[in-house]
Amino acid sequence: MSYQTPMLPANTFQNQVIVVTGGGSGLGKAMTKYLLQLGATVVITSRNLERLTTTANELSAETGSICFPVACDVRHYEQVEAVLQTAIEKFGKVDGLINNAAGNFIAPTERLSANAFDTIIDIVLKGTKNCTLAFGKHWIANKQTKATVVNIVTTYAWTGSAYVVPSATAKAGVLAMTRSLAVEWAKYGIRTNAIAPGPFPTKGAWDRLLPGDLAEKFDMAKKVPLQRVGDHQELANLTAYLLSDFSAYINGECITIDGGEWLKGAGQFNLLDQIPEEMWDMLEQMIKAKKNS
């Protein structure tokens, strides 16, 4: 067994319906695939219906479970409501929601237009709000006794980060909403948690954020104490766990899965890991000499 091995028992999500925003590619596709393998019916959304349909057909054929594509721009509440109604009409219910749709720019903030800033806020924060509110209202109004929301955030939701200020701002809001609703909606049987992934490279997103040879120059694995980036199955395992009854007593948590990356960046003296052994020997001798003088 390794971290690349599926974790949960087969049929964990038998007869359950999960909606995944941004499910057509990247990490959304990886999470969707694993839920399908565990027996779920998964409704995937994004703005690109052609790519969604290709993904849905591929994953349905590969897993034998139903993957159903619905085009949706999460920035518009009426489109989110339409996704919910389609899922209900097709499958009778929705048991879980993964808010994964996101956008980002890597740029000095002063170079961003107000519209560019708003675009990220609208997709990440407003989009997550739209989905959570629409689905939550449905679950509460229909007295559904159990439902689960998993929000995909990032570690700079609490540390902040230069050069991705719109994303950091939006993700911080999503994290606050996650914790707030975990308390407010628990009485309705709705659990709300978040995941903060570290580097999990995906072809499309990383090519946009770090074009050309920038990905090689900024090797994310070098920032991680474990000296590697994440495997998509690791994130899929964690997401499925938080959606499942195995995590029934976990509510309002944000689980970090980053190999220790943000902690390495937070420690004041963590850059000392770049000092070679020979220099440590020299420093030790200097300290001893000073003590004996």
Side-chain angles (χ1 to χ4, degrees):
M1 182 178 294
S2 75
Y3 59 82
Q4 297 170 317
T5 303
M7 182 177 75
L8 295 182
N11 300 322
T12 293
F13 292 100
Q14 197 71 41
N15 301 319
Q16 292 196 35
V17 180
I18 311 293
V19 174
V20 181
T21 70
S25 60
L27 296 179
K29 181 178 179 180
M31 291 184 284
T32 296
K33 178 180 177 180
Y34 188 41
L35 292 171
L36 292 166
Q37 290 172 333
L38 293 173
T41 294
V42 183
V43 176
I44 56 174
T45 78
S46 76
R47 289 175 291 174
N48 189 331
L49 182 58
E50 182 179 354
R51 182 168 62 185
L52 275 180
T53 302
T54 299
T55 296
N57 291 338
E58 173 194 333
L59 294 183
S60 293
E62 187 174 347
T63 64
S65 295
I66 297 172
C67 185
F68 188 78
V70 184
C72 175
D73 185 337
V74 295
R75 293 175 292 182
H76 303 293
Y77 190 78
E78 67 278 6
Q79 292 190 32
V80 171
E81 286 189 308
V83 170
L84 174 61
Q85 289 309 310
T86 298
I88 298 300
E89 290 169 8
K90 289 283 294 182
F91 307 112
K93 61 171 183 170
V94 173
D95 299 284
L97 168 67
I98 301 175
N99 283 308
N100 172 67
N104 203 355
F105 296 114
I106 291 183
T109 306
E110 68 273 16
R111 289 175 175 261
L112 294 175
S113 67
N115 183 62
F117 205 115
D118 287 347
T119 296
I120 303 307
I121 298 291
D122 286 350
I123 295 171
V124 177
L125 180 55
K126 185 178 176 182
T128 302
K129 176 273 294 181
N130 284 342
C131 294
T132 305
L133 189 62
F135 283 64
K137 281 176 175 287
H138 168 78
W139 289 327
I140 293 167
N142 287 273
K143 294 182 170 55
Q144 187 164 323
T145 58
K146 186 169 62 177
T148 312
V149 177
V150 174
N151 296 323
I152 306 300
V153 294
T154 178
T155 55
Y156 56 68
W158 56 87
T159 64
S161 179
Y163 304 106
V164 287
V165 172
S167 176
T169 303
K171 293 291 191 181
V174 172
L175 183 57
M177 181 171 64
T178 301
R179 290 169 170 161
S180 301
L181 288 178
V183 176
E184 184 176 342
W185 284 359
K187 63 179 175 285
Y188 301 117
I190 301 171
R191 289 191 300 118
T192 310
N193 291 295
I195 297 173
F200 280 82
T202 61
K203 180 66 176 170
W206 283 50
D207 283 352
R208 288 192 299 271
L209 291 174
L210 299 170
D213 62 352
L214 285 178
E216 293 183 12
K217 290 182 178 179
F218 295 94
D219 184 356
M220 291 295 182
K222 293 179 180 177
K223 296 177 58 188
V224 179
L226 291 179
Q227 292 294 295
R228 68 172 177 88
V229 295
D231 185 88
H232 288 194
Q233 185 63 51
E234 293 178 282
L235 180 62
N237 281 339
L238 178 56
T239 305
Y241 170 70
L242 287 177
L243 283 169
S244 76
D245 287 344
F246 293 105
S247 64
Y249 203 49
I250 298 177
N251 187 37
E253 284 302 310
C254 179
I255 299 180
T256 301
I257 178 167
D258 74 343
E261 180 203 26
W262 90 266
L263 290 171
K264 180 177 180 179
Q268 187 173 13
F269 292 97
N270 286 346
L271 288 176
L272 293 181
D273 66 1
Q274 299 177 28
I275 293 179
E277 286 295 321
E278 307 81 58
M279 189 171 288
W280 282 117
D281 293 338
M282 290 173 57
L283 289 171
E284 187 176 331
Q285 292 303 319
M286 289 169 62
I287 293 170
K288 287 180 179 178
K290 191 170 184 179
K291 281 184 178 179
N292 294 331
S293 63

